[in-house]
Amino acid sequence: MGVAFVTPYTLFLLAFGALPTLYAIYLAFTKNNAFVGLDNFVRVVQDYRFMPAVGHVGLYLIVWLISLIVLVVLLALAVHGVRSRRLSTSVRFIYYIPGALAGASSVLLWLFVLDPSVSPVSGLLNLLGSDSFVNTIQIDRLPVVLAIIAFWTGAGGWIVIMYGALNNIPNEVMEAARIDGAGPIKTALFVQIPLLRKWISYMVILSLAAGTQLFVEPRVLSQASRGVVPQDYSLNQLAFLFAFKQNDFNGSAAISLLLLVVALGLSVFFVFRGGLFERD
Amino acid sequence: MAPQHHRTSVSRLLITATAIAGLAALTACSGPAGEIDENYGFVVAEQNPDSEITIWADATRQPAVEAFQKAHPEVKVNLVVDDGSANGSATLQTKIALADQAGEGWPDVAFSTQTNDASWAAKETNGVQAFAAPLDKGYFDEDFLSGFTPGALDPVTIDDTVYGLRNDLAPVLFWYNKTLLDEFGYDVPTTWEEYQELGDKLASDHPDYFLGTVGDSFAGPYVFYWSGEAPIYQVDGDTFHSDTSDANSMKVTEMLDHMVANGTLTQDSVFGADFVAKADHLVAIPGPAWYSGALFQNPDSVNAAAGQWGAANPLTWENGGDVTGNVGGGMWYASSHSKNLEAVKTFLEFIVSDPSTAGTGGLPAYQSAADAWLSDQASSGFYDGDFAGAVSTAAGSVWNGWGYPNFSPETSWTKIIIPGIASGKTIKELSADWQKEMQNEAQAQGYTIG
């Protein structure tokens, strides 16, 4: 019975996860089916678009991951602190709604929010010094803009998960804290957040994997802005250009592999720092 | 967690598609290479005269394709609408690269709004036959091909072989609002110097009225720099040349900076809502022939009344030649992989030369259709002045020093210049970066910089 449940997943994992990865590794070290060592990697790293793209993605990850951790934990604690059952349920539901929209369609929605001529928050955009769509999506503002979009689509799900994790903290522990005189802030700092550590690192790992693959948001913004957001903003976009604009699938695979290695390395760091594999 | 999953599955899908495509290509390569068919001049796929032909084109071309379906019900057509590679998005190249890699999935006919696609479509990639079929090696009759306006097929002619058919000619002319000019008491300018002076007068006497835009990816490079004989986008063999500090480039840059500063050139796209909202304040605009259908006779855009707008000869520089720029003018390509080349030929001959569809709103590149279109426009009296004369003059004076390399100057314009001027910089300050970006793009595409 167990096999029946696991088989479809395993097949899909092999077909859409493992095999493409192996094929990418093969492509990254060859050119015209001949082994070329690190040539492809040297070529893509030396490309004039590579370092800017690394910078863009890196900055985006920093802005996004920090705001994600801080805000998700704060909001989860706040929701958990709400006494009214009905209010708590509806707030969690509202948080979750944007997550139901698929990546590209939520960006389409944001196109309207970001364009001061049609935006419902145009006053706010003007306050922030943006009088046109082009100005809202200036390249140095993009990490923040993309982080806001990603937070809006992704954070709700995490808040619900953190809320569940907070519920898992045994009542005795919370009660002991209260008896020892800890208020909500002290309880959060010394009891709840330390106990959430695993969940937070779990969130960071998955978000990191998703964040390094930044593609859909800048791609849609690029199309919508008629190219003001460049087609080579993120690393994944650059891989796309290598493959389909330059017919250089080997270079494209090299970029993908670099992304994989970096994301894996950072994930390993968070797995061990977050004690994800420790048993209670 | 949902979006993370979405995102990973999208990129996984992409990787997988690539992988499967790659595997398919490996197997496809192992087949025996075909022989060149003497009737066509290239290696022809096995033909099936009843098979459906797939056409990739943009929404502007859709009515013309539908007109073809009405006129030729015997040809089965599957139209796939895309963006026509507008703004240098390279949609066609991207999709053909994927099909090349997969060894299948090519369209039978493809349309692009860009003029430079032959630079890659006429070349074999990674061992796959060039996508664009050579047309003058037996496939199309010489009689038919010679019906194009002289020079119309230059951008798709590589090593003396024709690889595509021109949809429309898009020379830059000078469009002016007769009603407003009369009301303000101004003459129609004939030189760029007079155009700039008109801007000064407007800015001081009639602020909020304007003379065009630099906010479109094509406006800067093609309308202004090409017309000014600026050597910023030139190709000689495998060498790319760009010089934004040349005297010709500088005079255009200075004019643009001057007019952006006094507000007579806006930063909107002519396809954007902001432009349409201000359209009744548009006094004149230099732009391609297809502005006729796209702006002036378009109910969703300027929507001019008959007699309100006119077209004049292209503006020239006092110290320059009588030349003008060019904004696209789409191209049709026949796939060398098509299984129904005869139906493709029927379609292409109809779409570029039938007076009912040729030009798709702009000036047809096919001479007989162009003549019919011009006399139609003239007899309708919609435009003030000598419309046919202005268009013909413009079509015959496109500056031939502009290159057609395998990348678009539009992507660098939108990446560097548009956001730059939106944040208050001048084009003069940005032009070195712009030149560098074009040179970088050229190098990435394999050109040497000269």
Side-chain angles (χ1 to χ4, degrees):
Chain A
M1 199 57 201
V3 177
F5 279 112
V6 173
T7 309
Y9 176 77
T10 313
L11 286 179
F12 278 115
L13 182 70
L14 284 176
F16 297 109
L19 286 179
T21 310
L22 290 177
Y23 185 54
I25 294 173
Y26 167 75
L27 279 179
F29 289 100
T30 57
K31 181 102 198 174
N32 300 327
N33 300 326
F35 182 74
V36 291
L38 294 175
D39 279 9
N40 293 320
F41 293 91
V42 173
R43 191 174 63 256
V44 297
V45 171
Q46 285 175 345
D47 189 277
Y48 75 103
R49 296 161 292 188
F50 185 81
M51 287 322 287
V54 170
H56 296 153
V57 174
L59 203 58
Y60 160 72
L61 280 178
I62 292 171
V63 173
W64 180 48
L65 287 182
I66 290 177
S67 57
L68 187 73
I69 295 171
V70 172
L71 291 172
V72 161
V73 171
L74 276 181
L75 286 169
L77 286 169
V79 177
H80 193 252
V82 171
R83 295 267 171 250
S84 150
R85 197 185 179 88
R86 180 172 296 172
L87 184 65
S88 163
T89 318
S90 34
V91 167
R92 272 179 288 148
F93 179 67
I94 291 169
Y95 280 155
Y96 194 72
I97 291 177
L101 282 169
S105 52
S106 63
V107 187
L108 289 180
L109 206 107
W110 274 89
L111 293 180
F112 293 97
V113 180
L114 295 174
D115 185 343
S117 62
V118 290
S119 173
V121 292
S122 55
L124 187 65
L125 290 172
N126 288 335
L127 265 183
L128 295 173
S130 160
D131 50 2
S132 65
F133 183 50
V134 171
N135 259 332
T136 317
I137 52 168
Q138 290 279 1
I139 205 149
D140 45 356
R141 293 188 174 154
L142 270 184
V144 176
V145 168
L146 293 172
I148 293 174
I149 297 178
F151 184 83
W152 180 79
T153 48
W158 286 115
I159 294 171
V160 174
I161 289 172
M162 292 294 164
Y163 176 86
L166 285 171
N167 275 344
N168 263 349
I169 297 174
N171 255 335
E172 302 86 75
V173 177
M174 298 292 285
E175 217 171 285
R178 247 197 316 277
I179 290 169
D180 286 348
I185 294 173
K186 287 232 155 115
T187 315
L189 279 180
F190 297 113
V191 179
Q192 289 171 307
I193 292 178
L195 284 170
L196 281 183
R197 193 171 67 137
K198 273 187 192 180
W199 293 97
I200 293 173
S201 50
Y202 176 59
M203 172 173 81
V204 169
I205 290 168
L206 286 193
S207 305
L208 195 72
T212 49
Q213 295 179 36
L214 186 65
F215 181 81
V216 174
E217 288 85 352
R219 174 92 184 152
V220 175
L221 280 176
S222 176
Q223 289 268 354
S225 64
R226 301 193 174 88
V228 172
V229 173
Q231 296 176 9
D232 48 23
Y233 180 78
S234 77
L235 282 168
N236 243 3
Q237 283 181 291
L238 186 57
F240 183 80
L241 285 181
F242 261 96
F244 300 113
K245 178 98 173 84
Q246 289 166 232
N247 271 305
D248 183 354
F249 285 81
N250 308 92
S252 183
I255 296 178
S256 313
L257 217 59
L258 286 173
L259 273 177
L260 181 72
V261 169
V262 171
L264 266 182
L266 287 171
S267 299
V268 166
F269 173 78
F270 282 107
V271 163
F272 287 108
R273 288 288 299 165
L276 218 60
F277 290 165
E278 285 167 19
R279 284 169 177 262
D280 292 320
Chain B
M1 217 158 49
Q4 276 82 358
H5 278 254
H6 285 302
R7 178 107 44 64
T8 13
S9 57
V10 166
S11 36
R12 270 198 195 145
L13 208 69
L14 204 81
I15 297 169
T16 314
T18 319
I20 294 173
L23 288 172
L26 289 177
T27 45
C29 290
S30 55
E35 295 206 352
I36 290 179
D37 186 312
E38 283 175 10
N39 294 324
Y40 292 98
F42 57 95
V43 180
V44 172
E46 196 177 326
Q47 295 295 300
N48 173 6
D50 295 326
S51 65
E52 183 181 70
I53 59 170
T54 299
I55 297 166
W56 292 352
D58 62 350
T60 313
R61 261 31 74 172
Q62 191 164 2
V65 175
E66 281 159 5
F68 169 79
Q69 286 173 291
K70 267 207 193 96
H72 289 273
E74 79 280 6
V75 177
K76 279 176 272 175
V77 169
N78 169 29
L79 173 66
V80 179
V81 175
D82 60 20
D83 70 348
S85 305
N87 308 307
S89 70
T91 304
L92 179 60
Q93 188 181 5
T94 309
K95 284 162 68 181
I96 296 297
L98 191 54
D100 281 345
Q101 199 72 1
E104 63 177 4
W106 296 284
D108 297 277
V109 173
F111 175 83
S112 169
T113 56
Q114 307 288 306
T115 41
N116 62 347
D117 285 299
S119 60
W120 58 266
K123 283 187 193 146
E124 84 164 35
T125 44
N126 299 336
V128 181
Q129 170 165 296
F131 166 72
L135 304 180
D136 60 346
K137 299 289 175 248
Y139 185 13
F140 279 68
D141 294 335
E142 192 50 46
D143 279 354
F144 175 79
L145 291 175
S146 60
F148 279 92
T149 305
L153 300 180
D154 286 356
V156 282
T157 304
I158 304 216
D159 295 336
D160 291 327
T161 304
V162 176
Y163 286 95
L165 298 180
R166 189 84 174 255
N167 180 74
D168 57 312
L169 297 178
V172 171
L173 15 139
F174 188 68
W175 301 93
Y176 59 92
N177 188 327
K178 169 109 172 75
T179 317
L180 283 178
L181 283 178
D182 286 353
E183 189 187 322
F184 297 158
Y186 298 139
D187 292 328
V188 178
T190 58
T191 65
W192 291 104
E193 285 86 352
E194 290 172 15
Y195 173 68
Q196 182 173 332
E197 281 164 30
L198 178 61
D200 290 340
K201 284 189 236 167
L202 268 186
S204 65
D205 300 342
H206 304 281
D208 290 345
Y209 285 82
F210 67 112
L211 290 172
T213 156
V214 290
D216 278 301
S217 54
F218 55 81
Y222 301 143
V223 173
F224 295 107
Y225 285 95
W226 194 333
S227 302
E229 301 172 77
I232 56 167
Y233 188 67
Q234 298 183 308
V235 176
D236 180 17
D238 285 333
T239 306
F240 175 77
H241 175 76
S242 179
D243 185 3
T244 54
S245 53
D246 182 270
N248 280 352
S249 315
M250 290 298 285
K251 70 184 180 190
V252 177
T253 303
E254 277 159 16
M255 178 188 76
L256 294 180
D257 278 337
H258 182 85
M259 294 181 71
V260 168
N262 71 17
T264 47
L265 283 177
T266 69
Q267 298 174 34
D268 306 314
S269 161
V270 297
F271 299 114
D274 289 331
F275 174 84
V276 176
K278 296 179 202 161
D280 55 344
H281 281 50
L282 181 63
V283 178
I285 184 169
W290 51 259
Y291 273 6
S292 171
L295 303 187
F296 304 113
Q297 299 193 31
N298 179 354
D300 298 323
S301 185
V302 174
N303 196 21
Q308 186 187 2
W309 278 83
N313 283 349
L315 300 177
T316 53
W317 287 91
E318 273 163 16
N319 62 354
D322 287 339
V323 294
T324 191
N326 176 76
V327 185
M331 295 288 179
W332 294 94
Y333 298 94
S335 166
S336 67
H337 310 286
S338 174
K339 293 189 172 67
N340 195 350
L341 286 166
E342 285 312 306
V344 167
K345 185 158 111 176
T346 309
F347 172 79
L348 286 177
E349 293 192 349
F350 179 92
I351 207 93
V352 297
S353 73
D354 192 277
S356 67
T357 60
T360 50
L363 170 66
Y366 205 74
Q367 189 69 56
S368 57
D371 294 341
W373 186 78
L374 283 173
S375 69
D376 263 12
Q377 294 282 346
S379 64
S380 77
F382 186 85
Y383 289 109
D384 179 66
D386 180 12
F387 179 77
V391 172
S392 304
T393 305
S397 58
V398 173
W399 181 52
N400 62 11
W402 197 262
Y404 301 99
N406 176 16
F407 64 95
S408 165
E410 297 179 50
T411 48
S412 49
W413 179 266
T414 51
K415 182 173 172 177
I416 307 286
I417 305 284
I418 291 184
I421 51 180
S423 67
K425 294 200 184 83
T426 63
I427 300 175
K428 197 172 182 176
E429 291 167 334
L430 296 162
S431 59
D433 286 347
W434 183 34
Q435 178 180 324
K436 185 78 201 144
E437 179 73 18
M438 281 190 279
Q439 289 172 336
N440 279 336
E441 266 190 273
Q443 273 178 316
Q445 298 298 331
Y447 293 93
T448 50
I449 306 302

